[in-house]
Amino acid sequence: MARGVNKVILVGNLGNDPEMKYTQGGMAICTLSLATTSVRKDKDGNTQERTEWHRVKLFGKLGEIAGEYLKKGRQVYIEGSIRYDKFTGQDGVEKYFTDIVADEMQMLGGGEGRGEARAERSERPQRSAPPRREVPAAAKADFADDFADDDIPF
Amino acid sequence: MARGVNKVILVGNLGNDPEMKYTQGGMAICTLSLATTSVRKDKDGNTQERTEWHRVKLFGKLGEIAGEYLKKGRQVYIEGSIRYDKFTGQDGVEKYFTDIVADEMQMLGGGEGRGEARAERSERPQRSAPPRREVPAAAKADFADDFADDDIPF
Amino acid sequence: MARGVNKVILVGNLGNDPEMKYTQGGMAICTLSLATTSVRKDKDGNTQERTEWHRVKLFGKLGEIAGEYLKKGRQVYIEGSIRYDKFTGQDGVEKYFTDIVADEMQMLGGGEGRGEARAERSERPQRSAPPRREVPAAAKADFADDFADDDIPF
Amino acid sequence: MARGVNKVILVGNLGNDPEMKYTQGGMAICTLSLATTSVRKDKDGNTQERTEWHRVKLFGKLGEIAGEYLKKGRQVYIEGSIRYDKFTGQDGVEKYFTDIVADEMQMLGGGEGRGEARAERSERPQRSAPPRREVPAAAKADFADDFADDDIPF
DNA sequence: TTTT
DNA sequence: TTTT
């Protein structure tokens, strides 16, 4: 339920391996650095490239799958929403962050030894049993547990 | 032409009237502050709202139309891409900005005295003849002029 | 979970009031006829319009909300997927249908007496208690019951 | 310019090599058969798959690039719109077709010998010089010619 | 800062 | 069949 639409669709390549963290409650938080590059010709006919590096967050089971299967360089489809956050550092300086919170992830390219995974985020992040346990390549079906609300970082 | 997909779809309401600027070359830059609100129930069953304020930039003719027809409170559909920028202030502190660069805009809601406009951005921002001239409600057809590349702020 | 992405985003106006049906199990099936119009200039500079009429299906609680709040003429945002079906009539002739199966719906325009509703479809269609009962304007939170699989028409 | 939004985003694999046709004016029409598969668990916990076969049309230069680089089995990203058509056969029977008209195409998977291509459709289909000529892998930049309107099949 |  |  909401008022408005906040939707992001990305296809890009990972600049690094996924970074994994876990909340006290054991929920996975996976952070991806995802590159999308646009190209245009300038007035001299030269090709100008510009790369955006998106910080993508995946929570719960979706984050576990991402951490398990994604690797630096891998191409991935992400669907989610934009979230803007502001923190004040110890130095009193305000810092701004923009994240893409993923609802859905799909590995692209298939092929040799690349595995296959796709998952969608349930209504809200779900407890993952023991962190880093073996995760099936295709998730989403058994998002079913409940989470202590304090665990959810948004 | 590009490598990857960087697509944003927003439906929200304007928190303020559009802000207009013009480059030296006369190209319009319209900035919108657009709210999207998501709602979820916390563990106590209370409704939790969270509003994201998107900074949306519209260039050239699309920006002129936005400036002409949009008003505070108005509901609008935006399609575009995410752009991350970093500037270093005179104090030496780095500042980060995230913009949604609009490719397409459509006013929603119709009705009494609300006008109607929809436009898409051409390949790259286009020179607008004299700034603030009368703009037809429905644009896109005559994006045809050329721009000095220095005018394009990205 | 899936292989591939099949996503549709529509903003349009209803050509008629919603059509409601219910499965034997009591699940609502709401069908909308939604118009989207594109415009282009032909070589003579004349404006050419073309309207697509989308057949949108909303199941379960999402369908109940649509049936309750939407009316002919109303503007609506739909997110969903395309589904192609083939039936063979009694005359032995094959008939093809294309539906947009909605995952999410949001009424647009707000304003006087138009109500407000937004909902998302849960993993799979959910049983609605008694058909046509009073439905809150904003759903999605309590998609929780289970459905006999025979009820699900896809 | 338009009233409404009619947007489709697909990621899928080609069931066949692209089919190429050319209008009398020499414009390429490329037709793809693109599979997207969704998976859900039925009440017995069995995995149920359903595959949609989308008929995707790419016109002009975009169609030439598709014809040149895509092959059966290849994974591709398509952005476009839905178009419904009705024809009456010689037998007097009405036939219905649903096409996805592509505005943008991007080959996925990259890697060994797979080439790389992405293109966007210009405002309206553009004349391609000689059909089947050598086409650069990344298009979109020089969509510039004009087309006899009769050539455009929609 | 919007909207319902 | 809608809407502007």
Side-chain angles (χ1 to χ4, degrees):
Chain A
M1 198 183 76
R3 292 190 301 286
V5 173
N6 173 1
K7 181 159 286 289
V8 176
I9 289 170
L10 303 175
V11 174
N13 294 279
L14 298 194
N16 285 300
D17 286 345
E19 289 175 29
M20 298 301 293
K21 285 189 181 176
Y22 296 88
T23 65
Q24 287 194 326
M27 183 182 69
I29 303 178
C30 175
T31 303
L32 306 178
S33 187
L34 189 67
T36 60
T37 299
S38 60
V39 183
R40 65 181 183 87
K41 297 266 183 191
D42 66 15
K43 65 180 174 217
D44 304 321
N46 299 319
T47 294
Q48 299 290 349
E49 293 203 351
R50 184 187 159 103
T51 296
E52 308 300 333
W53 286 99
H54 308 269
R55 192 168 75 156
V56 179
K57 300 268 189 186
L58 306 97
F59 298 101
K61 187 145 200 150
L62 183 57
E64 293 182 43
I65 295 169
E68 194 80 23
Y69 289 92
L70 296 179
K71 291 290 170 208
K72 176 177 175 175
R74 188 75 208 241
Q75 192 180 36
V76 67
Y77 170 93
I78 293 287
E79 193 179 317
S81 57
I82 312 177
R83 192 182 67 186
Y84 308 99
D85 282 305
K86 184 172 78 176
F87 298 108
T88 306
Q90 296 98 314
D91 53 359
V93 177
E94 292 183 333
K95 292 178 174 296
Y96 294 85
F97 295 92
T98 299
D99 291 318
I100 308 305
V101 178
D103 292 320
E104 190 169 338
M105 181 269 294
Q106 184 157 357
M107 293 167 63
L108 300 175
E112 338 64 52
R114 291 184 175 179
E116 162 75 28
R118 195 214 213 214
E120 297 182 19
R121 189 165 74 88
S122 58
E123 277 313 287
R124 53 198 206 78
Q126 300 302 327
R127 180 182 298 274
S128 54
R132 293 260 90 188
R133 70 181 166 88
E134 214 51 53
V135 173
K140 174 187 174 181
D142 44 16
F143 286 156
D145 321 282
D146 202 14
F147 242 106
D149 213 60
D150 321 329
D151 266 10
I152 304 173
F154 63 93
Chain B
M1 201 182 75
R3 291 192 302 283
V5 173
N6 173 358
K7 181 158 286 288
V8 176
I9 288 170
L10 303 174
V11 174
N13 294 277
L14 298 193
N16 284 302
D17 285 346
E19 290 174 29
M20 299 301 293
K21 284 190 181 178
Y22 295 89
T23 64
Q24 286 194 329
M27 184 182 68
I29 303 177
C30 176
T31 304
L32 307 177
S33 187
L34 190 67
T36 60
T37 300
S38 59
V39 183
R40 66 183 184 86
K41 298 266 184 193
D42 67 15
K43 64 182 174 217
D44 304 321
N46 298 320
T47 294
Q48 298 291 348
E49 291 205 351
R50 182 186 160 106
T51 296
E52 308 300 333
W53 286 99
H54 308 269
R55 192 168 75 154
V56 179
K57 299 269 188 184
L58 307 97
F59 297 101
K61 187 144 201 153
L62 184 55
E64 293 181 44
I65 294 169
E68 194 82 21
Y69 290 92
L70 296 179
K71 292 289 169 208
K72 178 177 176 173
R74 187 75 208 242
Q75 192 180 36
V76 69
Y77 170 92
I78 293 287
E79 193 179 318
S81 56
I82 313 177
R83 192 183 67 187
Y84 309 98
D85 282 306
K86 183 173 78 175
F87 298 108
T88 307
Q90 294 99 315
D91 53 359
V93 177
E94 292 184 333
K95 291 176 175 295
Y96 294 83
F97 295 92
T98 299
D99 292 317
I100 309 305
V101 177
D103 293 322
E104 192 167 335
M105 182 270 293
Q106 183 157 356
M107 294 168 62
L108 300 175
E112 338 62 53
R114 290 184 175 180
E116 162 74 28
R118 195 217 213 216
E120 295 182 18
R121 189 165 73 90
S122 57
E123 278 310 288
R124 53 200 206 80
Q126 300 302 329
R127 179 183 298 278
S128 56
R132 292 263 92 186
R133 72 182 167 86
E134 214 50 53
V135 173
K140 176 186 174 183
D142 44 16
F143 286 157
D145 321 283
D146 201 15
F147 242 105
D149 213 58
D150 320 329
D151 267 9
I152 303 172
F154 64 92
Chain C
M1 199 181 76
R3 291 190 304 283
V5 173
N6 173 359
K7 181 158 285 289
V8 176
I9 289 170
L10 302 175
V11 174
N13 294 278
L14 298 194
N16 284 303
D17 286 345
E19 289 174 30
M20 298 302 293
K21 285 190 181 176
Y22 295 88
T23 64
Q24 286 193 330
M27 184 183 68
I29 302 178
C30 176
T31 304
L32 307 178
S33 187
L34 189 66
T36 60
T37 300
S38 59
V39 183
R40 65 181 184 89
K41 297 268 184 191
D42 67 15
K43 64 180 174 217
D44 304 320
N46 298 321
T47 294
Q48 298 290 349
E49 293 204 351
R50 183 186 159 104
T51 296
E52 308 300 332
W53 286 100
H54 308 270
R55 192 167 76 154
V56 179
K57 299 267 188 185
L58 306 96
F59 298 101
K61 187 146 200 150
L62 183 56
E64 293 182 43
I65 295 169
E68 194 82 21
Y69 289 93
L70 296 180
K71 291 288 169 208
K72 177 177 176 173
R74 187 74 207 241
Q75 192 179 36
V76 69
Y77 169 93
I78 293 286
E79 193 178 317
S81 57
I82 313 177
R83 193 182 66 185
Y84 308 99
D85 282 306
K86 184 173 78 177
F87 298 107
T88 306
Q90 296 98 314
D91 53 359
V93 177
E94 292 184 332
K95 291 178 174 296
Y96 293 85
F97 294 93
T98 299
D99 292 319
I100 308 304
V101 178
D103 293 320
E104 191 169 337
M105 181 271 292
Q106 184 157 355
M107 294 168 61
L108 300 174
E112 340 60 57
R114 290 184 176 179
E116 162 75 27
R118 194 216 214 216
E120 297 182 19
R121 188 164 73 90
S122 59
E123 278 313 285
R124 54 198 206 79
Q126 300 303 327
R127 180 183 298 277
S128 54
R132 292 261 90 187
R133 70 181 167 88
E134 214 50 53
V135 173
K140 174 187 173 181
D142 44 15
F143 285 157
D145 321 281
D146 201 13
F147 242 106
D149 213 60
D150 321 330
D151 266 10
I152 305 174
F154 65 94
Chain D
M1 197 182 77
R3 290 190 303 284
V5 173
N6 173 359
K7 181 159 287 288
V8 176
I9 289 170
L10 303 174
V11 174
N13 295 278
L14 299 194
N16 284 302
D17 286 345
E19 290 174 27
M20 299 300 294
K21 285 190 181 177
Y22 296 89
T23 64
Q24 287 195 327
M27 184 181 68
I29 302 178
C30 175
T31 304
L32 306 177
S33 187
L34 190 67
T36 60
T37 300
S38 59
V39 184
R40 66 183 183 87
K41 298 265 184 194
D42 66 15
K43 64 182 174 217
D44 303 321
N46 298 320
T47 294
Q48 298 290 348
E49 292 205 351
R50 184 186 158 103
T51 296
E52 307 300 333
W53 286 98
H54 308 270
R55 192 169 75 156
V56 179
K57 299 268 187 184
L58 307 97
F59 298 101
K61 186 145 204 153
L62 184 56
E64 293 182 42
I65 295 170
E68 194 83 21
Y69 290 92
L70 297 179
K71 292 289 168 207
K72 177 178 177 174
R74 187 74 209 242
Q75 192 179 36
V76 68
Y77 170 93
I78 293 287
E79 192 178 319
S81 56
I82 312 177
R83 193 183 66 187
Y84 309 98
D85 282 305
K86 184 174 78 176
F87 298 107
T88 307
Q90 294 99 315
D91 52 0
V93 178
E94 292 184 333
K95 292 176 173 296
Y96 294 83
F97 295 93
T98 299
D99 292 317
I100 309 304
V101 178
D103 292 322
E104 191 168 337
M105 181 269 293
Q106 184 157 355
M107 294 167 63
L108 300 174
E112 339 60 54
R114 291 186 176 178
E116 162 74 29
R118 195 217 214 211
E120 296 181 20
R121 189 164 72 91
S122 57
E123 278 313 286
R124 53 200 207 78
Q126 301 303 327
R127 178 183 298 277
S128 55
R132 291 262 92 185
R133 73 181 163 86
E134 214 49 54
V135 172
K140 176 188 174 181
D142 44 16
F143 285 158
D145 321 282
D146 201 14
F147 242 107
D149 214 60
D150 319 330
D151 266 9
I152 305 173
F154 64 93

